[in-house]
Amino acid sequence: MASSSFAAASHLLYPAALVGSSFAPRRGRPAAAVPALRRCRRRAARASAAAELNASAGAAAAAVEGGREFDFKGYMVARAAAVNRALDAAVPVAYPERVHEAMRYSLLGGGKRVRPVLCLAACELVGGREPLALPPACAVEMIHTMSLIHDDLPCMDDDDLRRGQPTCHVVYGEPLAVLAGDALLALAFRHLADPSSYPSDDLHPPAPRLLRAVAELARCIGAEGLVAGQAVDLESTGLADPVSLDRLEYIHLHKTASLLEASVVLGAIVGGGSDDQVERLRRYARCIGLLFQVVDDILDVTKSSQELGKTAGKDLASDKSTYPKLLGLDKSRQFAEQLLCDAKDQIAAFDPAKAAPLLHLANYIAYRQK
Amino acid sequence: MAFSALFLSPRVSVPKFSPSHLPNPKPHHLAFSIRCSSSSSSSSAAAASFDLRSYWTGLISEIEAELEAAIPVRYPEWIYEAMRHAVLSGGAKRASPVMCVAACELLGAPRAAAFPTAAALEMAHAASLVHDDLPCMDAAPLRRGRPSTPALFGVSTAVLAGDALFPLGFAHVIARTPPALVPRPALLRVLAEIARAVGSTGMAAGQFLDLSGAAAGGEAEVLLVLEKKFGEMAECSAVCGGLLGGADEDDAAALRRYGRAVGVLYQLVDDVLMEDEEGVGSNGRSPGKMRSNASAVRALGIDRALEIVEELKDKAKSELRRFDDKCGERVLPLYSFVDYAVHRGFLVAGAGAGAGGNEV
């Protein structure tokens, strides 16, 4: 039933060319995703008849899955604090001070640190020591921040506020905002590639792994990844006709999922994960990236501005294409259910205790109320 | 003049050169009384017979081919087209890549080891130029005599193209550097070097200091802007080439100091020539548009500027002495870069050179 409307999703989510890394070409593994998908769809079909995505169902699922109590909130708070300390140390105020202040203003201005936490969790999941993943965790957050700084520029989205604070170019001026973004982009790679960023001389990933991580980050954020998503998104806004489902998915998979993919893949690589583990986590990230956007679109039409803490119905009022507009609300919910299920399938083979953070992150994204 | 043979050498005829520039290069060194070092060693005397122009132009065509292959056109095409325009639109001297290849060859390694990194250096450089041309920065409608990337593709595409060039260069280095020629740890160091050179204490710092008017300050400030904006990149090119060629720590450190001196030297001489020709630079740059917001020469005074030119020239050459015996003739390209930076015996430009390159 549901599968026909999800056809676009499945071929974009699991194209062979996108799943393999340049280092470990996948040999026939993309096919392995398909049985999981089918199994998931049957389960999703049963589930969607019984329960709708709502807060209580989410809470119940979160408590039961994983087989034990897991303090998700405590986990997130502790990891975010560790990441914040590492970011603070990674960008000292050096000469010229104003450039570094602008970088720090945007980088340390708060946020949930979802990407770095994904990176740390993926590293632990494959058996790596968590401190090993702090440099890549910082790198993905630097890239995320840099993309927000450039995105907020008057020539792009032209936003004056981000998380309730004036944006970088409002505080420091446009030229410095461009430079601070560029400097964060460079620093992300330097921090990731430099063995001295890691806990100690004898505890850093071997050079081939670090090179593989650098190549993954480069691919995920460049013209094949994040930049492609931003470019197609910019080109698609303000069009009279709604964009196709294919294009909407392309935008979200590149603009949002790419950097989530980099986060878990980098964590798994520095943690010493096998190719198979890396690919499972890659698919997990692509699912939750898309899931995030589908849920965003659903919340925009179902919640009030007060509940969301931002203007509701904005997508409807503007010409922005959304899943509810293209699929309808019911099918959008089914799609979200399927994506959540797919994401969980990818981490089902891991030790449940170690997989708990990623499981709860997926639930958190699916069942959030704003 | 020991170096006249360098720029008057009629040995090569490269169709890529704009013919009007070729026959009689203006002998700038006469007009400016930039003194030729009288203490030429045997190596720098030999450098006079080294044909830098054919070495350079030969490398340019290989570097262009590397860049051409490194930036394909895929969906979304307009981003790739903007990236290609920024990197491949012609007129670039490819000085960073040439320096990188020469430093790699100095140590006896095949140049194939250095080409992917040479391309990445040029992409990182192009990325900074694209952002430099944005309306909120220098607002330059032209670059090398052609429409700048923001002017041709729009501001938002230009921002994104710049953001995409940097990672593409990194991916290219990792995917294309032959593993048999370069050990993986050396490659990692090369990537960290490039990231450092363009980052918050390198080129980005130089851009910021320039924008904030530091170049109008005292001698230390003026030289710092030149070091950050131009010295860092040349230093990075030389040290990356050395690392790719298997340099030990001492050799790498010497190449680092050499590259930095040559980068600053080139810009300072450029400023001297621009001052003298009332805004028309050594490479036919149009008046009024300079890569630095303030002229170093105006701040330093012409006499002091010429003194510093001499000091930098001696400094750069003295860093090369250690290679004289062990590297033989392979050190000649590096000596001749120093002389070229001072004397500009010929015009270097890639395909379709109109106005000359606007940067090292």
Side-chain angles (χ1 to χ4, degrees):
Chain A
M1 45 159 275
S3 54
S4 60
S5 60
F6 302 143
S10 51
H11 83 79
L12 273 168
L13 265 174
Y14 307 111
L18 284 173
V19 184
S21 84
S22 55
F23 292 87
R26 299 182 45 75
R27 288 166 288 267
R29 268 193 217 113
V34 177
L37 254 180
R38 289 207 193 100
R39 195 170 64 241
C40 234
R41 279 195 191 117
R42 282 197 301 273
R43 232 192 291 159
R46 284 197 300 273
S48 62
E52 196 173 270
L53 286 177
N54 61 52
S56 54
V64 173
E65 283 183 288
R68 71 180 74 181
E69 286 294 319
F70 176 73
D71 177 12
F72 178 61
K73 196 177 172 194
Y75 178 87
M76 290 297 287
V77 169
R79 296 313 183 282
V83 167
N84 286 336
R85 284 192 297 275
L87 287 171
D88 183 46
V91 195
V93 180
Y95 181 81
E97 287 81 7
R98 193 127 175 101
V99 175
H100 293 88
E101 280 165 19
M103 293 163 76
R104 290 172 59 86
Y105 174 81
S106 296
L107 188 63
L108 304 174
K112 292 185 292 291
R113 311 301 189 199
V114 169
R115 289 158 194 81
V117 174
L118 278 169
C119 183
L120 299 181
C123 176
E124 279 210 290
L125 180 60
V126 300
R129 286 183 46 189
E130 198 184 71
L132 213 54
L134 273 173
C138 289
V140 293
E141 190 66 13
M142 288 172 193
I143 299 291
H144 178 56
T145 303
M146 163 263 160
S147 78
L148 296 181
I149 293 175
H150 284 181
D151 220 32
D152 288 338
L153 286 170
C155 65
M156 308 279 277
D157 275 4
D158 195 10
D159 280 321
D160 288 346
L161 286 175
R162 160 116 14 219
R163 298 181 192 127
Q165 299 292 316
T167 45
C168 190
H169 67 270
V170 169
V171 179
Y172 292 93
E174 285 180 57
L176 194 44
V178 172
L179 288 176
D182 290 351
L184 281 170
L185 174 58
L187 184 60
F189 280 99
R190 183 183 167 192
H191 199 63
L192 177 64
D194 188 348
S196 69
S197 307
Y198 294 81
S200 67
D201 278 351
D202 49 344
L203 186 59
H204 62 75
R209 280 203 173 262
L210 281 185
L211 284 172
R212 188 174 163 189
V214 172
E216 283 282 358
L217 182 64
R219 192 184 55 78
C220 287
I221 69 171
E224 287 178 70
L226 181 58
V227 164
Q230 288 171 307
V232 177
D233 191 24
L234 276 171
E235 201 219 24
S236 304
T237 44
L239 296 179
D241 299 321
V243 304
S244 68
L245 195 56
D246 264 4
R247 177 174 278 221
L248 187 64
E249 211 133 278
Y250 181 94
I251 292 169
H252 294 327
L253 278 177
H254 290 78
K255 201 176 168 178
T256 305
S258 277
L259 198 50
L260 299 180
E261 177 183 333
S263 304
V264 292
V265 165
L266 262 57
I269 289 173
V270 300
S274 68
D275 287 354
D276 183 58
Q277 289 174 324
V278 168
E279 295 316 319
R280 281 178 183 282
L281 285 166
R282 188 190 302 282
R283 292 194 294 268
Y284 162 86
R286 295 173 72 80
C287 289
I288 64 166
L290 206 46
L291 175 64
F292 181 91
Q293 290 299 340
V294 177
V295 170
D296 223 37
D297 287 353
I298 292 172
L299 289 174
D300 186 72
V301 292
T302 56
K303 295 285 175 181
S304 69
S305 297
Q306 204 179 2
E307 286 171 302
L308 286 178
K310 62 181 181 186
T311 316
K314 206 170 63 180
D315 298 341
L316 211 59
S318 70
D319 285 333
K320 199 180 157 211
S321 296
T322 65
Y323 282 98
K325 268 189 214 169
L326 295 181
L327 287 178
L329 196 53
D330 283 349
K331 284 209 164 151
S332 299
R333 283 185 170 135
Q334 284 174 26
F335 186 32
E337 192 82 56
Q338 183 212 330
L339 287 167
L340 177 62
C341 186
D342 285 354
K344 289 178 179 175
D345 263 2
Q346 301 306 322
I347 50 175
F350 292 95
D351 172 6
K354 283 185 172 169
L358 292 182
L359 189 73
H360 285 75
L361 263 161
N363 280 332
Y364 163 75
I365 286 169
Y367 300 118
R368 72 207 155 93
Q369 298 300 305
K370 61 181 193 177
Chain B
M1 296 301 292
F3 307 117
S4 49
L6 173 63
F7 45 82
L8 295 178
S9 163
R11 263 187 268 166
V12 281
S13 154
V14 181
K16 278 178 179 174
F17 281 115
S18 164
S20 64
H21 291 130
L22 264 184
N24 265 318
K26 189 179 172 191
H28 292 301
H29 57 292
L30 295 179
F32 295 108
S33 69
I34 294 173
R35 287 155 294 162
C36 265
S37 171
S38 53
S39 61
S40 333
S41 71
S42 57
S43 283
S44 53
S49 63
F50 171 77
D51 187 357
L52 178 63
R53 192 173 71 186
S54 61
Y55 179 78
W56 197 319
T57 47
L59 276 179
I60 281 185
S61 54
E62 290 190 70
I63 289 158
E64 299 288 335
E66 182 84 22
L67 286 167
E68 177 72 36
I71 316 175
V73 178
R74 299 193 182 112
Y75 181 80
E77 291 88 2
W78 63 98
I79 288 290
Y80 286 96
E81 296 289 0
M83 292 160 74
R84 289 177 66 84
H85 178 78
V87 177
L88 293 162
S89 64
K93 291 191 290 292
R94 313 298 187 199
S96 289
V98 170
M99 171 89 86
C100 175
V101 173
C104 176
E105 286 191 306
L106 167 71
L107 294 146
R111 56 175 62 173
F115 277 125
T117 299
L121 289 166
E122 199 65 6
M123 286 189 227
H125 183 203
S128 80
L129 295 180
V130 169
H131 286 178
D132 206 34
D133 289 339
L134 289 171
C136 66
M137 308 280 274
D138 271 4
L142 294 176
R143 163 83 52 191
R144 298 177 191 131
R146 291 152 198 271
S148 67
T149 309
L152 199 57
F153 290 87
V155 178
S156 50
T157 297
V159 171
L160 292 174
D163 290 349
L165 275 170
F166 190 71
L168 181 64
F170 271 27
H172 184 73
V173 169
I174 298 169
R176 295 290 168 178
T177 304
L181 297 181
V182 183
R184 301 284 98 178
L187 205 54
L188 209 48
R189 280 190 68 184
V190 162
L191 297 178
E193 282 289 343
I194 299 174
R196 189 193 52 75
V198 301
S200 60
T201 58
M203 271 168 66
Q207 301 276 87
F208 167 75
L209 293 172
D210 205 2
L211 286 167
S212 61
E219 180 174 314
E221 287 84 1
V222 170
L223 289 177
L224 186 64
V225 172
L226 291 183
E227 285 208 354
K228 294 290 180 191
K229 277 192 86 171
F230 307 105
E232 291 272 354
M233 199 62 187
E235 168 185 323
C236 175
S237 306
V239 81
C240 284
L243 292 170
L244 291 163
D248 63 24
E249 291 303 321
D250 290 344
D251 287 349
L255 283 169
R256 186 182 293 284
R257 294 186 295 265
Y258 161 83
R260 198 175 188 85
V262 173
V264 176
L265 176 66
Y266 186 94
Q267 288 305 321
L268 197 51
V269 172
D270 228 28
D271 260 6
V272 170
L273 298 174
M274 282 179 77
E275 280 297 296
D276 191 74
E277 296 178 23
E278 292 171 349
V280 181
S282 58
N283 284 312
R285 183 183 300 119
S286 52
K289 175 66 193 135
M290 311 195 314
R291 79 265 128 231
S292 188
N293 288 342
S295 160
V297 171
R298 236 170 273 166
L300 296 169
I302 185 79
D303 290 343
R304 179 65 188 134
L306 290 175
E307 268 176 45
I308 297 172
V309 164
E310 278 304 305
E311 288 165 17
L312 287 168
K313 195 175 91 178
D314 291 346
K315 158 98 177 140
K317 289 193 174 184
S318 73
E319 296 294 351
L320 295 177
R321 302 274 181 254
R322 62 185 289 112
F323 301 106
D324 281 354
D325 291 335
K326 64 178 167 183
C327 300
E329 292 204 335
R330 295 196 306 266
V331 74
L332 295 183
L334 298 175
Y335 274 111
S336 67
F337 286 149
V338 182
D339 295 323
Y340 173 78
V342 178
H343 299 288
R344 309 297 160 88
F346 53 87
L347 278 160
V348 180
N358 199 8
E359 70 293 315
V360 180

